[in-house]
Amino acid sequence: MGMRVTSSILFRSALLDINRVRQKLAQTQERAASGLVINRPSDDPAGMRAVTLLRSELDSVEQYQRNISKLRGKVAGSENAIGNATNIMSRARELAIQGANGTLDAASRQLLAVEVEALHGELLREANSQVSGSYLFAGYASNTQPFVASGPFVDGMPSPTVAFAGDSNEIQVAIGDGVSATVSLDGRRVFMGDADGDAAVDAGREDLFDILADLRDALANDQPSQVVAVVDRIHTATNQISVERTRIGTVQAQMEQQEASLAQQSERLLNRLSEVQDADLAEVLSDLVTQEAALQASLSATTRLIQPSLLDFLG
Amino acid sequence: MSGLFGILDVAKRGMFAVQQGIQTTAHNIANVNTEGYSRQRQILGAAQPFPIRNGFLGTGVEQISVDRITDEFVLKQLVAQNSSFAATDTQAQALRQIEEVLNEQEVGGISAALNDLYDAFSDLSSAAEPGAPVEREAVRASAQSLIDAFQRADGQLRQMQRDADGGIQSTIAEINHLASQIAELNVEIGLEAGRGPANDLMDERDRLLRELGSKIDISTVDTANSQVMVFLAGGFPLVDGNSARTLEAQVDPTNPFDPSFSLVIFNDGSATTDITNDIGGGQLGGLLRVRDTILPAAIRSLDTIAYNLVDSVNTVHAAGTGLDGTVGDFFQATGQVEDAARDLALDANIAASTDAIAAGLTTDPGDNENASNLAALRNTAAALFLPGDPPGPATGPARTLLEHTSFVIADIGQQTRDMQFASAREGQILEVLENRRDEASGVSLDEEATNLIRLQAAFQANARVVSVVDRLLQDLVSII
């Protein structure tokens, strides 16, 4: 005896078939709507893991990019300040050479002294540069004015001294995995020639404020031989700050390089993310059409399930 | 009895049997859509013959019984399959909900919130303003969002656990109701036993057994008087002939998640036994697994992430100093992994003032070293503390928290996927078995129509006999 096919079997199978097609269709519609093949972890557990990790990586890359753009102003500010200090020192050198000239009289030297006083003030301003309220050369004491003059210039009195009120920390910020940028320089080392923090000028370095103070005093006191001595010191000082300028310039280059590399990383990660989670729209749409057709076929087949039976032919 | 009147009697009996046959056919046709109905078949036999001198004269036909056509083996399989399907389907549904709670493709995911906190630490390290007042606020806000994300997920999982417990209690009530209905049917079927098979009552009992199977895993034994005994896993007799025992929900104050959760107790009238761990199938078995295994694992996974977050952030944070000189934790310290997600909170000092956030190793407003160290935790892999580890050493794998989170999510996804496949497979087997049952027991209208034609012809033939006998009698009468 063959298999008995009852109407209950036909209806059950038809209903389950329609359900299956509808489930597939719902999934395809979800993919079409979200544009994603992974809409929940069970769609592809390993893929979901990859998506989560790629998102984290992308997030950290974006954070490094944000750090770089935030720090750019600070680094540029430092470089600018040191650049200006270089100009100040080269102007001071000109004045010193002028002042060393034996033919100059005391009154002219006095005029030069006044200009040196102005340079001293400019240098102080540069050394106390601020970005967003932060003193660039104060180390961690970023809200403390780092260079403080003991007072104004007073005629007939020795130049005021400048004391350092910051600290020698150089701020480091991560701008990549294992990559950090030094975004502030030790002001005492840059402007006062004290890299070891012992409150005294290191051998081979110079205190720029001291140089200007000594130059002003030598000019004001009409002592050309003292002025000559200062010229050599200015030379050392200029070298000293140009080294510092290179240091901060290198940071800028490093940041630019890192930014380019981060942009590449970000693009690579976005591509990977898209490969893993994005639906191929052409494929999804063609699936959608196929499955809709399948559903219609199942539905129309089901309407024919109410087949005639022998009962219809009984007279 | 012989003679013309005897023949009339034979024809009458034939017509009577045919009528009964049509009644059975009509009953089958009427029940073509009745769930659990088994088609019935009239069994005919020759009536007691009449002895005569040289043999026996037939006296016609009689209906011996009306049988229902069933395949007892398939029926038993169906009960078991209902149990497996209901258990896997219940678990698959719960897992689908759990994976939505942890779905990183939606907003508010745990790993997205973790990333935000690490971002905020990094922003703190690159702050332009002295003391970074804005960045400090952002750190506290993103930490609070992360806490919210943990607590939202934890709260949803615990709500699902309470729902499962509620389901367990109502399923127990349904099981008791079904068991008592089956016992009542046993009584009725026993009373009818002398009169031939009580087909429709037995169909109803089979249907109830299948329904009971979908609630809890059972095995059945048929007894001599057409009664059925129902045993639970572990051999506890739920239905013993005419009487049903009961299951009870008994509060278990030692449950680590909620002291109001229930154990399942078998009460045989004189003694009670805890059978919670014996139940493996049916909706009840599925719900117990959801409440006691699947959800606890998910909750502890969250706890593990939360505890290790607290531990790693606090360790680094306490090495630094707040702007106001505070030295201490960032999150409220917890002594154990268990419930760390639920109890996650900011340290009181941090909650009170963002100046307590230790961005530096000193109180200097530009000191960003500790903020950098906190941000670096994003990529720091360390052995993870697992439930039960603290205060001992961490025994988990060395992973970053984000890596671990992605493992947890993928693991839930895999479980959901596996359980969905299992549930679909059990459903297909169930479909095959239901079709096999219908193959044997379902009503086929073609078959019934054929029967009608056959019975109609038989009725006509018997009527023909009556009319022939009638004519013979008229012939006899006309002679007189």
Side-chain angles (χ1 to χ4, degrees), chain A residues 149-172:
Chain A
S150 57
F153 286 94
V154 179
D155 288 346
M157 298 284 288
S159 296
T161 56
V162 173
F164 183 66
D167 60 51
S168 18
N169 290 302
E170 298 191 335
I171 295 174
Q172 311 260 337

Side-chain angles (χ1 to χ4, degrees), chain B residues 57-70:
Chain B
L57 270 181
T59 59
V61 70
E62 65 182 6
Q63 173 175 302
I64 296 169
S65 71
V66 176
D67 286 357
R68 69 180 185 137
I69 314 260
T70 56

Side-chain angles (χ1 to χ4, degrees), chain A residues 12 21 40 60 65 67 106 123 138 159 165 173 178 185 190 195 222 230 248 252 263 269 276:
Chain A
R12 178 178 302 119
V21 179
R40 58 186 55 73
S60 94
Q65 288 174 325
N67 282 354
L123 183 66
S159 296
V173 173
L185 297 183
V190 174
D222 195 21
V230 170
I248 199 79
Q252 262 184 329
L269 290 169
V276 179

Side-chain angles (χ1 to χ4, degrees), chain B residues 283-327:
Chain B
Q283 205 182 346
L284 187 61
L287 285 169
L288 284 167
R289 257 192 78 77
V290 168
R291 187 194 69 181
D292 296 340
T293 308
I294 296 174
L295 282 166
I299 292 170
R300 291 300 178 238
S301 295
L302 277 183
D303 287 343
T304 303
I305 302 172
Y307 179 86
N308 286 285
L309 170 75
V310 171
D311 182 68
S312 60
V313 170
N314 279 355
T315 305
V316 174
H317 191 265
T321 307
L323 204 52
D324 57 5
T326 309
V327 174

Side-chain angles (χ1 to χ4, degrees), chain B residues 27-106:
Chain B
H27 187 51
N28 282 342
I29 292 174
N31 283 295
V32 65
N33 290 327
T34 305
E35 196 203 330
Y37 178 78
S38 306
R39 70 186 162 113
Q40 296 178 11
R41 191 170 57 180
Q42 181 186 40
I43 307 293
L44 296 174
Q48 185 76 41
F50 183 72
I52 54 170
R53 192 166 37 83
N54 52 356
F56 292 93
L57 270 181
T59 59
V61 70
E62 65 182 6
Q63 173 175 302
I64 296 169
S65 71
V66 176
D67 286 357
R68 69 180 185 137
I69 314 260
T70 56
D71 182 335
E72 290 301 325
F73 180 60
V74 171
L75 287 180
K76 286 213 189 316
Q77 279 184 306
L78 262 176
V79 171
Q81 190 57 33
N82 265 314
S83 286
S84 331
F85 174 67
T88 50
D89 192 49
T90 305
Q91 292 173 62
Q93 278 176 25
L95 280 163
R96 258 191 302 252
Q97 253 180 293
I98 295 174
E99 74 162 344
E100 285 307 330
V101 171
L102 298 174
N103 192 357
E104 288 289 330
Q105 297 289 58
E106 306 284 338

Side-chain angles (χ1 to χ4, degrees), chain A residues 4 8 12 16 20 38-40 42-43 49 52 55-56 59 63 67 70 134 140 143 172 177, chain B residues 99-100 103 105 115 119 122-123 126 128 365-366 368-369 378-379 406 417 431 435 438-439 442 447:
Chain A
R4 289 178 75 249
S8 57
R12 178 178 302 119
L16 284 166
R20 265 172 220 141
I38 304 177
N39 287 294
R40 58 186 55 73
S42 62
D43 287 343
R49 199 174 105 65
T52 324
R55 286 232 185 93
S56 297
D59 189 280
Q63 180 58 40
N67 282 354
K70 277 168 67 184
S134 259
Y140 286 166
N143 61 346
Q172 311 260 337
D177 287 344
Chain B
E99 74 162 344
E100 285 307 330
N103 192 357
Q105 297 289 58
N115 270 313
D119 285 351
S122 186
D123 274 331
S126 63
N368 69 339
E369 283 186 50
R378 188 199 320 248
N379 297 321
S406 76
R417 197 176 170 82
E431 183 194 352
N435 283 348
D438 284 358
E439 236 179 274
E447 212 170 66

